[in-house]
Amino acid sequence: QVQLVESGGGLVQAGGSLRLSCAASGYIFSNSAMGWYRQTPGKQRELVATITSGGNTNYADSVKGRFTISRDNAKNSLFLQMNSLKPEDTAVYYCRTIVNGRIYWGLGTQVTVSS
């Protein structure tokens, strides 16, 4: 079955960097668009960045110029390089894909940015 497993979260000071990874299995990764989303308590999950199967990317305005989404189809992996982190980037970050019309999420990884 489809599985998405995020890793790489942690505690970092403002201005620092983190690199998130998402390991995918159970489907043809290279055929699917992928996305990173984030959620804080009491708020709806929001889009951070997406990447198509062809490598086209899209970013939320709040992260443009600071975050970079990428994928390695040979390793069935999705990445999110996060630079110049801000306290408002603190959230649980989730990996997402859609396979055969069904949405799949990972369990998430916590990112905490201290001021």
Side-chain angles (χ1 to χ4, degrees), residues 4-6 8 16 32 37 42 45 49 51 53-54 58 60 65 79 87 97 106 112:
L4 301 171
V5 180
E6 302 93 338
S32 297
Y37 291 72
R45 200 167 291 188
I51 185 167
S53 58
N58 181 56
F79 305 100
T97 192
T112 302

Side-chain angles (χ1 to χ4, degrees), residues 46-65:
E46 64 176 6
L47 180 146
V48 175
T50 61
I51 185 167
T52 67
S53 58
N56 293 318
T57 59
N58 181 56
Y59 296 91
D61 288 343
S62 59
V63 307
K64 279 180 182 176

Side-chain angles (χ1 to χ4, degrees), residues 4 6-7 92-95 106-110:
L4 301 171
E6 302 93 338
S7 61
V92 178
Y93 284 71
Y94 297 91
C95 173
L107 295 179
T109 186
Q110 175 71 47

Side-chain angles (χ1 to χ4, degrees), residues 25-94:
S25 61
Y27 68 106
I28 303 174
F29 179 80
S30 59
N31 287 356
S32 297
M34 300 291 299
W36 286 102
Y37 291 72
R38 66 187 181 188
Q39 188 170 23
T40 55
K43 292 188 177 181
Q44 285 194 331
R45 200 167 291 188
E46 64 176 6
L47 180 146
V48 175
T50 61
I51 185 167
T52 67
S53 58
N56 293 318
T57 59
N58 181 56
Y59 296 91
D61 288 343
S62 59
V63 307
K64 279 180 182 176
R66 300 188 299 121
F67 291 10
T68 302
I69 188 171
S70 62
R71 63 191 298 160
D72 184 338
N73 289 337
K75 296 183 178 179
N76 288 353
S77 293
L78 177 72
F79 305 100
L80 185 68
Q81 178 66 43
M82 304 187 296
N83 298 328
S84 302
L85 282 161
K86 304 175 181 180
E88 52 263 44
D89 294 318
T90 295
V92 178
Y93 284 71
Y94 297 91

